[in-house]
Amino acid sequence: MPQDIALDYRFIDRSGKNVFGIMQVSKPPYQDPTTSAVSWLAIDFEPVKTFETPISLRQIKTEPTLQGIGFIKQPRLSKNEFEKIANLVNSKSY
């Protein structure tokens, strides 16, 4: 849905999996133009905030308040988990 927020989480070269910022859905899902499969949808995002220093998956795994969250195994978060990860940017743990 437009205005839903998400983490910009991706794998980049040797740096591994990192959260690079926060993004927002900019328009409703639409048919993926790269395939004719009806079940494949595309979603457009726009940046909200780019983190000066990306948050690594390792940092997320070692944060005591995030132990056992589903994000480590699957890319879904509760609002509370999202906020805790976004707040790691302000921590002095890295």
Side-chain angles (χ1 to χ4, degrees):
M1 297 299 292
Q3 299 190 5
D4 281 353
I5 56 173
L7 294 173
D8 177 6
Y9 176 70
R10 48 198 155 106
F11 181 86
I12 302 288
D13 300 323
R14 293 180 216 148
S15 64
K17 296 177 182 177
N18 292 284
V19 177
F20 290 90
I22 299 171
M23 55 190 181
Q24 180 175 356
V25 176
S26 59
K27 65 182 187 179
Y30 56 91
Q31 175 63 47
D32 185 338
T34 65
T35 181
S36 60
V38 180
S39 61
W40 283 51
L41 299 175
I43 300 174
D44 292 343
F45 292 93
E46 57 188 33
V48 172
K49 180 178 182 175
T50 301
F51 299 153
E52 216 172 286
T53 304
I55 302 168
S56 70
L57 181 58
R58 183 180 63 225
Q59 282 178 273
I60 294 168
K61 287 180 175 180
T62 60
E63 174 60 37
T65 63
L66 296 171
Q67 295 298 309
I69 67 168
F71 181 72
I72 293 170
K73 295 181 182 177
Q74 62 185 14
R76 293 187 191 129
L77 295 171
S78 70
K79 182 177 180 183
N80 186 41
E81 293 166 343
F82 176 94
E83 289 171 353
K84 285 180 182 179
I85 291 172
N87 285 333
L88 285 176
V89 172
N90 300 322
S91 76
K92 297 178 183 178
S93 62
Y94 59 95

